[in-house]
Amino acid sequence: MSTKPQPKTTPSQKPSFTHKQLCEYAAKWSARPKSQRGPGCLFSLSETKSGYTGESPDVIGWRVAYGPNGGFDSVLIECKTSLSDFYADAKKPFRACPEKGMGVYRYYLAPAGLISLQMLPNKWGLVEV
């Protein structure tokens, strides 16, 4: 069984993914070990809400933090199915003030070619499906 979501296609369209499919893939990717090009999260939550900022990440996971302080690091993954969704995300208060947002490490997950590296906010990564 493949862990990669299967897009919906028609002969005249590019493949498209539902938001739910991308969230499912993001949760699986978050658990992928670093040796397999993933963040190595021990567990993750999908579409949960923060009581502090009201942020509702598509996927947030936690992994062991390495370094002098130990503990855990959080990995935030925002799934985008369209450019309009990507641009709307930039208007959220916790994107304008990243220190108020969730996630020590932050990624967008989107269909291949939708978001370019030049479009990413500072210190964000990109995962393409």
Side-chain angles (χ1 to χ4, degrees), residues 61-118:
W62 288 267
R63 66 182 190 183
V64 174
Y66 298 98
N69 297 328
F72 290 92
D73 283 334
S74 55
V75 177
L76 173 92
I77 307 166
E78 283 294 320
C79 300
K80 301 300 167 196
T81 59
S82 68
L83 279 179
S84 60
D85 188 16
F86 175 75
Y87 291 130
D89 192 71
K91 296 176 184 175
K92 294 177 180 176
F94 29 81
R95 299 291 180 259
C97 297
E99 63 277 2
K100 294 182 180 179
M102 298 172 76
V104 173
Y105 297 95
R106 299 171 182 161
Y107 297 89
Y108 283 105
L109 186 138
L114 181 71
I115 301 169
S116 71
L117 293 177
Q118 294 77 17

Side-chain angles (χ1 to χ4, degrees), residues 30-42:
S30 72
R32 188 183 296 175
K34 287 185 176 189
S35 63
Q36 294 178 8
R37 300 180 66 190
C41 292
L42 300 173

Side-chain angles (χ1 to χ4, degrees), residues 1-2 6 18 67 74 94 102-103 107 110 123 128:
M1 184 172 141
S2 173
Q6 298 302 309
T18 65
S74 55
F94 29 81
M102 298 172 76
Y107 297 89
K123 297 185 179 182
E128 293 186 313

